[in-house]
Amino acid sequence: MNRKIEKIFMLLVAFAVANYSVIIETTKIYAASFEYVEEMKKNCISEDTAYNIAQSFIVNAVENEIADNWNEYSEAWLLAKCYDTNRNISAYVYNVTDTYSNAKCGYIVIGGSRVYSPIIEFAENEDFMYIDYLSANDMLIYEGGIYYYGYNDRSNTYYYCDSEKTEVTVENINKCYAVSEEIKTQWYNIYDIKYAEAEEDILINGAREAYYGAAGERLGFSKLNKQAEEGYEDVITLSNLPSKFYTMDDFYNSAKSDKNFYCTWECCAPTAAINLLYYYYNRNSTYYSTFDVGDNNKYKRFKLMYSLMKTDDSGTSNANLVKGLTQFLQNYTKFKNSVVTYRELVALNAEEMIADLKLNRPVILRTVNHEYYKNHCLVCVGIRVYNNGSIFYAVANGRSGVVQYMNSYTQNAVYTDAVTVHLFK
């Protein structure tokens, strides 16, 4: 097994440095009862969280130039889930693929709960071989350490995942019986403290909105200049942003001279969708060539998106926004397995949104009765935190071609929803 212990340590240190983490005191092991550990194993992380950890691990390895075989196109794809002997998810196994060349470039195993290391193991030039020793329909078992097992539920037997498939009793399976402070530190260092604070603040604002309602204190755009004087930090900014995004006027004005096409000025949803795709197209027009949203064809693609979303004088419904963008990707691009998800109340989905932004994935925001934008769709491309604690979304708002900033404070609107888009060929 290629554990690459030194390299894993370097990457975890890179996480700590890149994410403003603090130095933790000397590692120590503390005893924990068997029952306590077993309870912790039941608290499994979600598949989405595991993917975000794996992909962030790849991105950090590339950015810190300590990856041999990964690059900006490397992406994690779920291969298998591992379980413990009580059928809790104990690990997620991801193949790593170069999405530009479709070449395999190793694997990553993510701990399924905080009992195990967040990065159990990885390799850049090898396949995860244990899956090959698993008999058809058998379960992959992992309980810690360096061993993987197979389980056949028909015969209720366990065996080593190797060429000999030697049977082993459940009592002799290698298990984790204690919780390590070092592993706790590794989990702590996975996420940026500032991102965590941003998530917490957005969640607190969401709770405050739910409790006080729209009559609560309002912190709007009128205070933006004052806050700018107080200083800020862009804690998340998508890389390779275009110098200018498209606006609703770009498309509305083109439609005025198009006798075969009617377009309402309330075309924010298809405009936001085109701007989201344009971000990717601007980054790599070869890889994302089928988006075809460059300056020469943007109006043609907008008309298609407008039609698929069934936009009319009253705008675009939530369902048609998701359905139209999904149909566009599946039927008119090479990204036919893409997933478009409507997430109600961004305040309650802050973790997912921030995770996407950290992975250079723009997110569509949908405001309802916002004090400035009213009912509107925008593309979020970053997060800015002011010294006074206020958090603003960096947005391509469809009205101005340049990035502007919208307060995340939910009392500027009745609510704000999010639409996440994960591109898969």
Side-chain angles (χ1 to χ4, degrees):
M1 176 184 298
N2 186 351
R3 306 234 353 130
K4 295 191 176 180
I5 298 297
E6 182 178 355
K7 201 165 191 180
I8 292 177
F9 175 76
M10 290 174 66
L11 283 172
L12 290 172
V13 169
F15 266 122
V17 173
N19 296 334
Y20 310 96
S21 297
V22 298
I23 298 174
I24 307 301
E25 63 184 22
T26 305
T27 300
K28 60 183 178 180
I29 305 296
Y30 69 91
S33 69
F34 175 78
E35 291 78 11
Y36 174 72
V37 174
E38 291 300 300
E39 283 300 313
M40 285 188 66
K41 290 178 180 178
K42 295 177 183 178
N43 189 20
C44 307
I45 67 172
S46 69
E47 186 176 322
D48 282 345
T49 299
Y51 168 79
N52 289 332
I53 293 173
Q55 193 61 33
S56 295
F57 188 71
I58 295 170
V59 170
N60 276 270
V62 173
E63 289 181 349
N64 287 279
E65 299 181 350
I66 49 178
D68 296 329
N69 200 34
W70 295 339
N71 56 45
E72 62 180 310
Y73 304 111
S74 299
E75 181 148 1
W77 298 79
L78 184 65
L79 173 66
K81 296 177 184 179
C82 300
Y83 298 84
D84 62 22
T85 52
N86 291 318
R87 308 302 175 262
N88 303 306
I89 296 175
S90 57
Y92 296 86
V93 183
Y94 289 89
N95 277 334
V96 181
T97 302
D98 186 320
T99 57
Y100 187 78
S101 65
N102 290 324
K104 288 184 177 181
C105 45
Y107 67 88
I108 304 175
V109 182
I110 304 299
S113 73
R114 293 180 182 245
V115 171
Y116 315 101
S117 294
I119 311 295
I120 293 174
E121 65 167 303
F122 76 100
E124 294 181 53
N125 299 293
E126 301 174 11
D127 293 335
F128 183 77
M129 63 181 179
Y130 303 98
I131 201 77
D132 296 333
Y133 300 119
L134 199 65
S135 299
N137 300 318
D138 283 1
M139 186 179 292
L140 188 61
I141 302 296
Y142 179 78
E143 283 265 20
I146 62 174
Y147 296 104
Y148 295 86
Y149 307 87
Y151 173 69
N152 185 304
D153 62 353
R154 297 173 297 282
S155 60
N156 193 30
T157 56
Y158 295 88
Y159 56 88
Y160 286 101
C161 274
D162 56 25
S163 57
E164 297 180 0
K165 292 188 177 181
T166 305
E167 284 193 19
V168 59
T169 63
V170 67
E171 292 79 14
N172 288 324
I173 285 178
N174 184 77
K175 291 187 177 182
C176 176
Y177 291 106
V179 181
S180 165
E181 284 289 338
E182 180 179 0
I183 289 175
K184 289 175 65 178
T185 299
Q186 291 175 6
W187 279 103
Y188 179 83
N189 287 341
I190 283 294
Y191 294 110
D192 186 309
I193 292 174
K194 287 184 177 290
Y195 298 153
E197 290 174 350
E199 291 173 9
E200 181 180 1
D201 197 35
I202 294 170
L203 287 168
I204 289 172
N205 287 340
R208 186 184 294 120
E209 170 69 20
Y211 185 78
Y212 290 107
E217 178 187 358
R218 303 174 71 85
L219 181 60
F221 284 81
S222 60
K223 297 188 179 182
L224 181 58
N225 291 334
K226 180 177 183 296
Q227 290 173 345
E229 294 172 1
E230 296 173 352
Y232 62 84
E233 179 180 0
D234 290 318
V235 296
I236 307 177
T237 302
L238 269 61
S239 63
N240 302 116
L241 285 173
S243 59
K244 191 173 184 180
F245 284 94
Y246 300 134
T247 68
M248 293 186 293
D249 279 341
D250 290 335
F251 303 120
Y252 180 71
N253 291 333
S254 295
K256 286 181 179 179
S257 59
D258 188 343
K259 297 181 179 179
N260 298 316
F261 178 68
Y262 170 76
C263 174
T264 175
W265 190 76
E266 298 295 336
C267 56
C268 58
T271 300
I274 294 297
N275 272 333
L276 181 144
L277 299 180
Y278 180 59
Y279 165 75
Y280 290 104
Y281 184 84
N282 179 74
R283 256 177 56 184
N284 189 330
S285 59
T286 301
Y287 186 66
Y288 298 105
S289 60
T290 54
F291 289 174
D292 200 18
V293 289
D295 194 56
N296 291 335
N297 291 309
K298 66 178 187 293
Y299 177 60
K300 176 182 176 182
R301 301 299 267 179
F302 168 81
K303 289 200 299 181
L304 175 60
M305 188 74 75
Y306 186 99
S307 175
L308 293 172
M309 287 187 174
K310 303 185 186 304
T311 303
D312 55 27
D313 286 333
S314 60
T316 309
S317 70
N318 297 346
N320 284 337
L321 190 162
V322 173
K323 185 177 180 181
L325 182 49
T326 301
Q327 288 177 339
F328 184 97
L329 292 167
Q330 291 179 347
N331 299 331
Y332 299 95
T333 77
K334 290 184 178 180
F335 293 81
K336 301 184 182 300
N337 293 308
S338 298
V339 179
V340 181
T341 306
Y342 197 93
R343 300 184 183 278
E344 295 183 348
L345 295 178
V346 68
L348 303 181
N349 289 282
E351 181 179 352
E352 289 84 354
M353 185 185 80
I354 289 176
D356 272 15
L357 293 174
K358 286 170 66 178
L359 294 173
N360 283 314
R361 290 172 169 167
V363 175
I364 294 176
L365 298 180
R366 187 171 189 123
T367 62
V368 175
N369 289 337
H370 190 276
E371 67 173 0
Y372 177 75
Y373 287 118
K374 308 306 179 186
N375 300 333
H376 193 52
C377 284
L378 321 86
V379 179
C380 183
V381 296
I383 291 181
R384 172 174 289 184
V385 178
Y386 285 86
N387 290 349
N388 67 0
S390 297
I391 297 175
F392 280 69
Y393 302 131
V395 294
N397 62 18
R399 296 182 181 177
S400 168
V402 298
V403 172
Q404 297 189 338
Y405 295 87
M406 181 182 84
N407 199 322
S408 71
Y409 195 60
T410 53
Q411 287 175 356
N412 288 330
V414 172
Y415 60 84
T416 301
D417 292 344
V419 178
T420 58
V421 181
H422 295 181
L423 300 173
F424 299 110
K425 286 188 174 179

